[in-house]
Amino acid sequence: MKKIFFASLLVLGLSLTSCDDFLDINQDPNSPTQENMTSSMMLPAAELNLAHSYGDFLRTSTGYFTQYYSQYFGTSNYLDYSQFTMSAVRSSSTYTQLNTRVLNNLKTIRELSSAEEDWGTYLAATTLRAFTYQVLVDCYGEVPYTQAQNLSYLTPEYDDGQTIYDGILAELDEALEKANGGDQVATSILFPGATAASWIQFANALKLRILTRESGVKDVNAQIAALIQEDNFPAANVQFAGCWKNEAGQANPFFMEDAFASYGASQQNIVLNLALYGTMSEYGDARLQAYFTPNADGDYTGSVSGTNFSTTSKYKSTYWCRPNAHFDDPVVLISTSDVNFYIAEYYAKNGNNGMAQEYYRKAIEASFANAGVTGAEAALSAYPLDASNYKRAIGIQKWIDLSGYNSFEGWCELRRLGYPAMGSVTGDQIYNEQSDAYNPDLYVPGTLYKPIKCNTAVTTILQRFPYAESSANRNQNAPDYPGDSAPVFWAK
């Protein structure tokens, strides 16, 4: 994978006056002494490192695992991803970045803000810490937590996912008890100039996500009900926006990863997958045009997981559709549609069909609004909420919604809800690499399919990442890897 290095993304942070200053890689970063460190120096550094990891590597790789993406004709950078494969080496740099440049910074911010009784900043750092650990658990299942970021433990124990989820929920509750909506917060890129009120809403939405994930393996109904009753969730997407420039090293990280021809590079990798195209085109879903661009002929087509087509293929580069990416696209952490889908699921589980229908509609309408298109009624008609099988309707519509901006959450929800389910048609049947015969009509809308040359250790889709080489190979306490088909705790 191409690496993008921000010279100003320091482990301990740096002084800045604006997001533009922070992203200016031609400006020498300050090197303040440890005793002069402040939360306003470190919080933006932690935020931008999180945005880069979450919005680039995690979005790109999981976009293939969810069958949003296929591999571009003639290139092979992510062909292994499209075959449902992740190696321990591939994720190591992102794992290290999340631990050193995000969690280490946040640990220091929490210590400083607690000592100063700066509870708004304490809540901000705690929320980002909880978000980061949620991501790590959802990737790896088990990671160091109770002994992590502690120099007394050079080889920290790995904690199970349930322990970590319960721990970060307790951390969020403790920080929420201390913070008030009017509390000031250190300089932040996620919520520039905002008080703790915005961070309270973010924390509540994050709690809703974590609790919903847990709900399949633990009774958390009362906690979810209390959050919904409080009804203090974000009114807009929680996202890194307005801080990207149309310059090399300073654009949206996903755009930089695969649309960086604008900055002198030439290789591209991502095209629209047949599974997503076939499902959305079945009922003319206008979000398809918002999420992907048409091919050279002005048409939409879907490629096949597990192949990059032979050099003699007639299905060359111009035949496929590329992501509709822009340098200033936001990196979305939690969307308004995401929150409404969780609430709809809660009501469906508890037999309140009327409220489930209401929030399901709100979720799909929010998805179309976020995409800037109309046509929610067609989506609602194509996948009406069925109380007897709510997971299918919510699962498929969440899968479609998240395909345009948050592949990582799409992968998580696909594993948790089980939809779209794996169909009987295989990638080998859809495309024959020897004869170059392509039969997209075999695809069944609303399903996934087994990729060509699929990872033999996977029974449906990839369920987790192997423990990162940068952690496991240096840690005698790393557990044995349970395998690519072993679900993380909340998907069992």
Side-chain angles (χ1 to χ4, degrees), residues 10 38 89 95 114 154 193 215 228 252 263 286 331 337 359 368 417 421 440 461-462 488-489:
L10 299 180
T38 67
V89 175
Y95 177 91
S114 179
L154 298 181
S215 65
I228 294 174
N252 169 282
Y263 309 123
V331 173
S337 53
Y359 278 93
F368 275 80
L417 292 167
I461 64 168
L462 184 73
V488 299
F489 85 96

Side-chain angles (χ1 to χ4, degrees), residues 365-384:
E365 289 175 345
S367 175
F368 275 80
N370 287 334
V373 295
T374 59
E377 289 300 328
L380 285 161
S381 297
Y383 293 97

Side-chain angles (χ1 to χ4, degrees), residues 222-241:
Q223 294 98 306
I224 295 176
L227 276 172
I228 294 174
Q229 180 65 34
E230 183 183 352
D231 192 25
N232 188 20
F233 299 115
N237 293 346
V238 177
Q239 60 189 17
F240 292 101

Side-chain angles (χ1 to χ4, degrees), residues 290 304 483:
V304 185

